[in-house]
């Protein structure tokens, strides 16, 4: 696999894990087989992409990239889908995660 594809694969994995997390949040309002299957399918697909990225890259880099992207994606979903707001401290924490992820991948 081309190393230039690894960031895209890691971002895809983060996106899938984020969809699973969002579906878990909806679980308490709309539990059901379909939502449960979505959670399982997105977790498995995210893990599959993560495994593909780990084939050619170090664990720490992939872990940092996926979790950093998840923080941003979940923050966006929290704000727009659930109306959750962030304190200044929380926003600063999100910013620090983004900076840390960028430093690790630079």
């Amino acid at each position: 696999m081309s190393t230039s594809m690894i960031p895209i694969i890691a971002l895809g994995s983060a996106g899938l894990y984020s969809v699973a997390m969002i579906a878990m949040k909806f679980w308490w309002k709309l539990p059901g087989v379909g939502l449960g299957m979505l959670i399982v399918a997105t977790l498995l697909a995210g893990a599959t992409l993560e495994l593909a990225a780990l084939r050619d890259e170090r664990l720490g880099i992939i872990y940092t990239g996926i979790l950093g992207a998840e923080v941003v994606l979940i923050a966006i979903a929290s704000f727009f889908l659930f109306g959750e707001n962030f304190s200044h401290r929380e926003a600063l924490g999100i910013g620090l995660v983004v900076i840390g992820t960028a430093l690790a991948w630079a």
Side-chain angles (χ1 to χ4, degrees), residues 1 4-5 8 15 17 25 33 38 51 53 63 74 79 81 90 93 95 99 103 105:
M1 169 187 346
S4 64
M5 290 296 294
I8 295 167
Y17 286 142
K25 178 83 172 172
V33 175
L38 175 66
L51 286 169
Y63 184 76
I74 292 297
F79 182 79
L81 293 176
E90 292 167 331
I99 291 167
L103 286 172
W105 279 72

Side-chain angles (χ1 to χ4, degrees), residues 9-22 42 46 66 69-70 73:
I9 293 169
L11 184 59
S13 178
L16 288 163
Y17 286 142
S18 296
V19 170
M21 184 70 69
I22 293 163
T42 53
I66 291 173
E70 279 184 80
L73 294 171

Side-chain angles (χ1 to χ4, degrees), residues 64-98:
T64 303
I66 291 173
L67 287 180
E70 279 184 80
V71 166
V72 172
L73 294 171
I74 292 297
I76 292 168
S78 296
F79 182 79
F80 287 107
L81 293 176
F82 304 111
E84 298 174 356
N85 294 312
F86 302 101
S87 69
H88 293 324
R89 186 183 61 178
E90 292 167 331
L92 178 62
I94 292 168
L96 289 172
V97 169
V98 170

